[in-house]
Amino acid sequence: MIRSIAKAAVAAALLATSVVSGTTAHASGRDVAPPGGFTIGLVNANGSGCPAGTTAATVSPDQTAFTVTYSNYLAEAGGNSRPTDFRKNCQLTVQINAPQGFTYAIAEADYRGYAYLAPGASGIETANYYFQGQAQTGSLSHTFNGALSDDWQATDTASVASLVWAPCGETRDLNINTQLLVLPGSQSPDQTSFMTMDSTDGSLTTVYHLAWEQCPAH
């Protein structure tokens, strides 16, 4: 049975280490955790995987995490699916208000969901991240091959050298683009294959881990 109810929790995790005197921004990528925490909010959600009225966001009481609930993030191909259903996408626009004197970057993102892929079919999850006014980063992709009927998980991990940092002293929206793509394959074109960014039991989460650093002193 196609799992059509999607739920993903988005959590921001601080990487807490000791503060080194005279730290220069972007020196090691994960040196400093900001004092006093930060606030985070979902500004907008747009795309075929999250059309208007199908996405809701809830900020946690401590304002260190938020949950995004989807009800229509499902890509499918083969069988009686429509030709346009094989690709679904969603762009989240997130605003993170960092404490004064600190900057942040996404160091790791864990994606999870459910997939039913017939023999020969495949499902692909991709994501990229960029700040308002900056060029988009290259997409990171993860492929899953049929036959498969199970939860799936994919992790994007950035090296220190490739971290994309928020501009110091500015509030810029962070854009997170995700996409699900399902290809039916030649072995079973009459079977419906699908992939969701969710699980019906609600236990699967999408976690965005943040790296923090002090901005350079002027």
Side-chain angles (χ1 to χ4, degrees), residues 134-191:
Q134 295 181 347
Q136 293 193 33
T137 62
S139 295
L140 301 173
S141 298
H142 304 272
T143 301
F144 302 86
N145 296 313
L148 175 67
S149 179
D150 204 351
D151 296 328
W152 60 268
Q153 178 176 343
T155 299
D156 293 344
T157 302
S159 66
V160 172
S162 64
L163 289 175
V164 180
W165 295 90
C168 283
E170 300 181 30
T171 300
R172 295 278 188 92
D173 290 342
L174 171 64
N175 296 299
I176 302 171
N177 291 323
T178 58
Q179 177 180 268
L180 296 179
L181 176 68
V182 175
L183 303 175
S186 58
Q187 296 183 36
S188 50
D190 295 332
Q191 284 188 259

Side-chain angles (χ1 to χ4, degrees), residues 66-147:
F66 64 89
T67 299
V68 178
T69 304
Y70 303 98
S71 61
N72 198 30
Y73 205 158
L74 180 149
E76 61 181 351
N80 295 322
S81 62
R82 296 177 301 179
T84 57
D85 287 341
F86 80 104
R87 187 197 308 270
K88 294 296 176 70
N89 76 291
C90 184
Q91 175 170 304
L92 298 178
T93 302
V94 178
Q95 187 173 90
I96 297 176
N97 297 308
Q100 185 174 4
F102 284 83
T103 182
Y104 69 92
I106 291 181
E108 185 175 281
D110 301 319
Y111 293 97
R112 299 178 176 90
Y114 181 82
Y116 177 83
L117 301 173
S122 60
I124 304 171
E125 178 271 332
T126 63
N128 64 27
Y129 319 88
Y130 65 97
F131 289 98
Q132 177 186 8
Q134 295 181 347
Q136 293 193 33
T137 62
S139 295
L140 301 173
S141 298
H142 304 272
T143 301
F144 302 86
N145 296 313

Side-chain angles (χ1 to χ4, degrees), residues 46-66:
N46 185 44
S48 57
C50 53
T54 66
T55 306
T58 304
V59 179
S60 65
D62 61 3
Q63 295 188 311
T64 63
F66 64 89

Side-chain angles (χ1 to χ4, degrees), residues 5 12 19 23 30 69 93 99 120 136-137 140 193-194 205-207:
I5 300 176
V19 177
T23 298
R30 307 179 190 186
T69 304
T93 302
Q136 293 193 33
T137 62
L140 301 173
S193 296
F194 67 91
T205 61
T206 300
V207 182

